[in-house]
Amino acid sequence: MGSNSSQPEPQPPPQVVHRFTPPPSLCFDEPWRRIDWGDKQSALQYVKDYNPPTEGQQIRILLHGPVGAGKSSFINSVQSVLQGRMCIKTLVSTSQSCFTKRYMTYEFEKKSLDSFYPFVINDMMGLKDGSFRNQRVHVKDIKRALKGHILDGYRFNPESKLSKEDPYYNPSPGVNDKVHVLVSVIDANTVSQLEDKVVKAIWAIREEASELGIPQVAIFTKIDELCPEIQKDVRNVYKSKILKKAMQRFSEEVGIPMNCIFAVWNYHEDISLSNDNDALILSALTSIMNAGGDFLNTVRE
Ligand SMILES: Nc1nc2c(ncn2[C@@H]2O[C@H](COP(=O)(O)OP(=O)(O)O)[C@@H](O)[C@H]2O)c(=O)[nH]1
Ligand SMILES: [Mg+2]
């Protein structure tokens, strides 16, 4: 049939296969911690209905952490979630100046009920500025605060701790004056380069709290800046590999277990109220309240 067997059949040109390898995902497929995203209302109701073990008691939450970590923003965020509207006050510092110089108790009013939620938050700056001597003063002040010896309005002195003669010294604190849960507030983006003295101070403060039996937890803020997937969708928070790594690192460095570290994306100028952000803030808040409530159960006047 005239086929020329010595002539090779023309071959199609080799196919060039363009293989697209997607970059490794920044998220795990499954979250390592569950948040009930669709049910913010139950979480909110839980906080609204919460009653401390004994009538008239309140859980005192003490926030501490470096200037700019997001302590004031967290207080504002809690206020915003409870009020159902943005409550950005002048509370938030716009510069690195030592903003929170005074010891202040923040109470949260229940809408339309003319009463207050049974928890209060105090905020103490520190852990960043000053020498080791100041750091020791800071730790001593924290100890006084933990025991309930510091009255509202006290202006911290970086050079010396609150003296027993000071009018802001409360010599006989009641159960409501004492701190029931200590919260380290940390900018999640700083975890990879935490200064040695900050780590040491956190250990020293935790030691004091442990001696008093006070539970200790941590809040990671600014998670939106840490991981683009979280910024895209806050529901990715507990799927984020970057966040998990940062939490593990922090946990190892300061000795706070992973299940006592919570992430929040605070309400601040740029973002608007959302159910998902609310859910995350409420999840941190309820864990903190529960830890404080458990301790309050054990505290005697
Ligand atoms: N992107 C982002 N910024 C935050 C967050 N929380 C606080 N900030 C900003 O961080 C700065 C310091 O916050 P602030 O609450 O005053 O810190 P404080 O010194 O610990 O009380 C402010 O400019 C806040 O708007 C957060 O979750 N995400
Ligand atoms: Mg502040």
Side-chain angles (χ1 to χ4, degrees), residues 5 13 19 40 62 70 95 112 116 155-156 174 176 182 251 254:
S5 56
R19 274 222 179 80
K40 165 198 129 178
L62 177 62
S95 73
S112 74
F116 288 86
R155 185 181 281 273
F156 289 103
N176 281 350
L182 178 68
S251 172
V254 309

Side-chain angles (χ1 to χ4, degrees), residues 102-249:
R102 285 187 189 276
Y103 193 63
M104 291 293 293
T105 299
Y106 297 94
E107 297 180 311
F108 303 89
E109 198 168 2
K110 282 189 174 167
K111 253 198 315 198
S112 74
L113 284 178
D114 204 20
S115 63
F116 288 86
Y117 285 92
F119 68 89
V120 295
I121 305 184
N122 284 93
D123 162 12
M124 262 175 99
M125 62 108 204
L127 300 177
K128 189 166 185 185
D129 311 298
S131 62
F132 179 61
R133 193 168 125 247
N134 289 355
Q135 203 76 270
R136 275 181 42 200
V137 166
H138 174 62
V139 172
K140 283 181 177 165
D141 273 342
I142 291 232
K143 192 175 183 182
R144 300 235 136 139
L146 292 174
K147 289 179 164 176
H149 287 303
I150 305 186
L151 289 172
D152 253 29
Y154 173 65
R155 185 181 281 273
F156 289 103
N157 179 349
E159 296 307 319
S160 62
K161 66 175 181 186
L162 168 64
S163 88
K164 289 187 176 169
E165 288 69 47
D166 197 289
Y168 285 100
Y169 182 87
N170 176 2
S172 47
V175 69
N176 281 350
D177 301 315
K178 295 173 185 170
V179 169
H180 307 110
V181 51
L182 178 68
V183 183
S184 305
V185 182
I186 293 290
D187 173 346
N189 304 276
T190 64
V191 168
S192 57
Q193 72 264 337
L194 269 192
E195 283 177 69
D196 216 30
K197 63 182 178 189
V198 172
V199 175
K200 279 193 182 130
I202 294 179
W203 272 107
I205 290 162
R206 289 196 57 229
E207 230 164 62
E208 299 294 350
S210 297
E211 254 174 50
L212 299 166
I214 299 170
Q216 300 135 46
V217 305
I219 291 181
F220 271 33
T221 61
K222 309 192 191 180
I223 52 170
D224 51 308
E225 290 174 357
L226 181 74
C227 174
E229 293 299 328
I230 299 178
Q231 187 163 50
K232 234 189 272 168
D233 183 354
V234 72
R235 290 191 183 201
N236 286 330
V237 54
Y238 290 124
K239 285 184 182 173
S240 162
K241 292 179 183 173
I242 304 174
L243 178 67
K244 189 173 188 193
K245 207 168 149 200
M247 280 190 177
Q248 280 169 332
R249 187 182 178 132

Side-chain angles (χ1 to χ4, degrees), residues 66-73 92-93 222 224-225 265-266 268-269:
V67 177
K71 300 180 293 297
S72 304
S73 301
V92 173
S93 50
K222 309 192 191 180
D224 51 308
E225 290 174 357
W265 180 349
N266 279 325
H268 60 114
E269 307 87 42

Side-chain angles (χ1 to χ4, degrees), residues 52-70:
T54 308
E55 170 106 34
Q57 282 182 334
Q58 68 186 14
I59 298 168
R60 188 173 292 273
I61 300 163
L62 177 62
L63 308 183
H64 76 104
V67 177

